Amino acid sequence: MATASPLPKPMSQLSRAVSEWVDSVRELTQPDDVRWCEGTKAERDGLTAELVRSGELLRLDAKEFPDCHLYRSDPADVARVEHLTYICTRSKEDAGPNNNWMDPQAARAKMRELFRGSMRGRTLYVIPYCMGPVDSPLARCGVEITDSAYVAINMLIMTRAGRPALERIAREGTFVRGLHSTGELDPNRRFIMHFPEELAIESFGSGYGGNALLGKKCHALRIASWQARSEGWLAEHMLIVGLRSPRGETHYIAAAFPSACGKTNLAMLIPPESMPGWEVCTVGDDIAWLHPGPDGRLWAINPEAGYFGVVPGTNPETNRNAYNMIRRETLFTNVALTADNRPWWEGLSGGTPVTDWQGRPYDPANGPAAHPNSRFTVSARRNPSCSPLVDDPRGVPISAIVFGGRRREVAPLVYEARDWAHGVLVGASVASETTAAAVGQVGVVRRDPMAMQPFCGYNFADYWRHWLAVGAKLSRPPRIFHVNWFRRDSHNKFLWPGYGENLRVLAWMLERCSGRAAALDGGIGLLPRPEDLNTRGMTLEPQTLRALLAVDVPLWRKEIAETRAYLEQYGERLPAQMIEQLDKTAGALGR
Ligand code: SAT
Ligand code: MN
């Protein structure tokens, strides 16, 4: 006779370290109830149903958008708050000029007072999660405690959360402790604190993505970048995409762009019809963990399991994969609604918004109908171009690293670094026009090295040194490129069509990686000649292509002087190689 299998152990008994931490948080925050998340679909559906009943979530038209919901945030809580985000290391220099710093003891004391009793009348959710495939040696675990069911649902979509993660934590012993409470959403009582030396995060007073889904930017970038330095790898703000050429060769590219610069679109790119035979598969759209492999190559995993993407602009022309992906099982935040309860956003050709993102009758005088930083949360499995290797514990080998910014001028469409060390300088020199993903003025150029300005958990000078050290360990390092899809003409018109056509630029990179494509030394690095780019089937005037590939030497001299002034802020800690590389570029351009 078959014996009944024993009941699984309650989650609260799997790891003593986690349970003790939960008990201490419970004592401090005084929730009415504690719930451990198992990570099942039934559990997520149950949580969703509860929020529909309480009115926090709105069910969308079940015919066109089955299992889709709308969440409206507080109107003053719609983006990351970089000015309230801190790195709390014992030494201020370890955080560096690139971070806000607070003494860890002072920060802990401040947060203790905010968290005291903050969960009264609320439920405390315990979410064990694994960043990366649960059986991957490259993955790392954490536990988020939150009093927001909306945050819990997001984390259940965005990470591999629940029992298997907690079982790994119980085996390994180490995990990142992330404590989050929504508080009263008072911007004066809002802080996102990181304690990299203790692998801990404390976030209070915001329910928005990057501030509250602690597995994402807080853990997978700020804390992980610190862990990565001590363990010899890199945690980067990069998408990972696989490209199979008509020759049948597959290459993986990791690409860093600032928030809301099209990473999700590039990761899910649809080849133009005039480029038959190309296939694209998505490994990740936002974060890459890169490890030197035993074969001397760089191997990447996507620590996330879902996408938290920008909604406006998504349509069948810009990103058909994303457009199809977000038609079911998707959680929308801060989009507008049509009369028949369908989500609506700027950039959709059909439908009419009747209710704006704040739930008011739509009036163009109030600004866009959907918030410019409105988001979708969706499982990566919903992506039609999702790579079969997303769960591969070894990750994928990276052939090319791409840095990019949003620049009206200066940066050409594409150029290649001379070598890894030059590539580190190219990455460190990234500057970009700001977007709506962070609170503050939109459209001003700011320095954003490796697109990590808001996300590097330690001093950039040490980070660049670490990048140089990782490169020195690789016998087959990826080639490093810089792209700019956003260059404009004197009438402020974009010169390059972007989206699927970006494949033409990626194709040149892959030809470079295979040693087949030529390049010209343009002083700033290596550029394709106009005839090296495949422009067959697109309408691009020859003079436009020349303008896209032009290096404006006087502007570049100014750019180099600004980069020098920026790097010099890092003083003694700045690796000498960075200035050597800059001098080399300045020399190549003629002083
Ligand atoms: O808000 S998030 O940090 O999650 C998204 C982004 O800014 O890239
Ligand atoms: Mn991002």
Side-chain angles (χ1 to χ4, degrees):
M1 223 169 72
T3 48
S5 59
L7 278 178
K9 248 190 183 177
M11 297 269 285
S12 58
Q13 287 174 19
L14 282 178
S15 156
R16 181 196 281 254
V18 175
S19 304
E20 286 179 357
W21 178 52
V22 170
D23 287 343
S24 71
V25 170
R26 185 215 298 243
E27 208 164 291
L28 174 68
T29 60
Q30 302 279 311
D32 284 11
D33 192 13
V34 173
R35 279 207 234 168
W36 292 70
C37 293
E38 294 269 0
T40 61
K41 167 108 175 42
E43 174 184 70
R44 203 206 304 164
D45 291 346
L47 270 174
T48 304
E50 280 174 40
L51 289 197
V52 169
R53 277 196 296 279
S54 72
E56 280 168 87
L57 285 187
L58 219 114
R59 205 185 291 284
L60 297 173
D61 172 38
K63 208 168 119 257
E64 286 295 317
F65 288 86
D67 295 313
C68 291
H69 297 84
L70 167 65
Y71 176 81
R72 292 194 186 108
S73 78
D74 184 283
D77 186 32
V78 293
R80 281 181 290 100
V81 283
E82 294 175 9
H83 59 298
L84 303 173
T85 300
Y86 288 81
I87 299 295
C88 309
T89 43
R90 282 188 299 264
S91 141
K92 182 172 181 187
E93 283 66 44
D94 285 343
N98 46 305
N99 280 302
N100 301 315
W101 174 84
M102 203 181 289
D103 170 73
Q105 277 184 3
R108 286 277 192 190
K110 188 184 211 37
M111 296 307 277
R112 232 187 137 67
E113 288 324 303
L114 293 175
F115 279 113
R116 195 181 297 286
S118 72
M119 296 192 188
R120 277 199 197 107
R122 300 182 183 175
T123 297
L124 178 160
Y125 299 91
V126 183
I127 310 155
Y129 62 86
C130 183
M131 300 311 288
V134 181
D135 57 350
S136 171
L138 313 184
R140 298 288 180 275
C141 291
V143 177
E144 174 160 0
I145 292 179
T146 178
D147 58 5
S148 159
Y150 165 75
V151 167
I153 293 171
N154 273 281
M155 282 293 289
L156 291 169
I157 300 172
M158 294 300 297
T159 70
R160 292 153 173 99
R163 185 174 286 270
L166 189 56
E167 284 167 352
R168 176 164 169 166
I169 290 170
R171 282 196 306 276
E172 286 184 338
T174 25
F175 63 99
V176 172
R177 290 159 201 246
L179 173 55
H180 169 256
S181 177
T182 316
E184 315 79 32
L185 298 176
D186 175 357
N188 296 313
R189 285 163 49 84
R190 181 176 292 167
F191 290 99
I192 325 294
M193 303 283 195
H194 301 74
F195 305 89
E197 288 149 334
E198 300 156 57
L199 301 187
I201 306 155
E202 296 192 350
S203 164
F204 191 91
S206 166
Y208 169 77
N211 303 328
L213 317 181
L214 301 185
K216 198 172 179 54
K217 302 298 167 58
C218 300
H219 175 166
L221 289 176
R222 297 194 191 97
I223 300 289
S225 61
W226 178 283
Q227 281 182 300
R229 179 182 45 163
S230 60
E231 297 171 5
W233 50 281
L234 297 164
E236 298 299 326
H237 192 203
M238 292 177 176
L239 66 94
I240 308 164
V241 65
L243 300 171
R244 189 169 185 275
S245 74
R247 290 173 185 269
E249 289 173 15
T250 299
H251 285 277
Y252 293 89
I253 293 181
F257 297 85
S259 297
C261 281
K263 281 207 303 297
T264 306
N265 290 338
L266 190 61
M268 305 176 61
L269 175 148
I270 298 203
E273 266 168 35
S274 51
M275 291 181 79
W278 282 88
E279 279 172 38
V280 174
C281 65
T282 316
V283 180
D285 82 325
D286 195 37
I287 300 177
W289 285 359
L290 306 164
H291 293 248
D295 60 356
R297 289 193 287 179
L298 199 55
W299 289 74
I301 60 164
N302 170 16
E304 300 189 282
Y307 309 135
F308 183 67
V310 176
V311 183
T314 306
N315 64 51
E317 280 72 50
T318 58
N319 188 341
R320 193 171 67 239
N321 280 333
Y323 181 75
N324 290 334
M325 169 175 81
I326 60 179
R327 298 191 77 83
R328 52 170 72 225
E329 291 174 51
T330 301
L331 174 50
F332 290 91
T333 299
N334 292 338
V335 294
L337 277 183
T338 64
D340 38 16
N341 229 22
R342 294 180 190 164
W344 192 92
W345 53 86
E346 277 68 19
L348 271 189
S349 51
T352 314
V354 295
T355 311
D356 76 3
W357 63 278
Q358 299 191 49
R360 304 173 298 190
Y362 173 56
D363 176 354
N366 288 333
H371 189 276
N373 194 35
S374 51
R375 296 272 168 169
F376 56 75
T377 318
V378 66
S379 164
R381 276 174 295 118
R382 291 263 330 121
N383 173 8
S385 66
C386 185
S387 163
L389 295 184
V390 283
D391 287 317
D392 192 314
R394 292 169 310 170
V396 295
I398 298 297
S399 299
I401 288 178
V402 181
F403 295 113
R406 183 184 276 274
R407 295 298 294 269
R408 258 160 236 277
E409 47 181 24
V410 188
L413 179 62
V414 60
Y415 66 99
E416 181 186 338
R418 296 181 290 265
D419 53 24
W420 179 275
H422 181 221
V424 176
L425 173 70
V426 168
S429 312
V430 169
S432 190
E433 293 156 21
T434 50
T435 68
V439 170
Q441 204 187 336
V442 169
V444 296
V445 174
R446 76 159 183 183
R447 295 267 143 203
D448 195 351
M450 279 79 172
M452 284 286 278
Q453 167 53 43
F455 306 122
C456 183
Y458 61 103
N459 192 320
F460 261 149
D462 301 341
Y463 168 81
W464 298 320
R465 187 177 299 282
H466 179 53
W467 258 84
L468 292 164
V470 168
K473 275 197 288 200
L474 300 170
S475 56
R476 297 157 73 189
R479 286 178 187 249
I480 300 181
F481 299 85
H482 186 283
V483 299
N484 178 20
W485 315 133
F486 302 95
R487 198 151 161 171
R488 307 206 202 193
D489 66 11
S490 53
H491 308 289
N492 219 19
K493 236 185 88 219
F494 288 109
L495 290 171
W496 180 251
Y499 301 107
E501 307 293 343
N502 292 337
L503 179 58
R504 300 174 188 279
V505 176
L506 304 182
W508 175 73
M509 292 178 191
L510 298 193
E511 287 294 286
R512 292 288 300 158
C513 292
S514 309
R516 283 188 294 259
L520 277 182
D521 189 346
I524 60 167
L526 306 161
L527 284 96
R529 297 165 303 176
E531 61 270 31
D532 295 325
L533 281 183
N534 170 2
T535 53
R536 247 170 289 129
M538 77 187 293
T539 37
L540 191 69
E541 298 297 328
Q543 68 269 26
T544 307
L545 185 55
R546 275 200 301 277
L548 278 162
L549 295 173
V551 178
D552 183 328
V553 173
L555 267 185
W556 266 95
R557 286 216 185 93
K558 196 164 149 272
E559 181 78 7
I560 287 171
E562 281 168 18
T563 304
R564 190 182 299 274
Y566 170 71
L567 293 177
E568 279 171 355
Q569 285 176 47
Y570 290 86
E572 295 282 281
R573 270 171 113 122
L574 182 74
Q577 265 184 289
M578 301 290 283
I579 296 296
E580 284 161 24
Q581 288 295 335
L582 196 65
D583 287 342
K584 208 164 165 179
T585 305
L589 284 176
R591 278 165 215 265

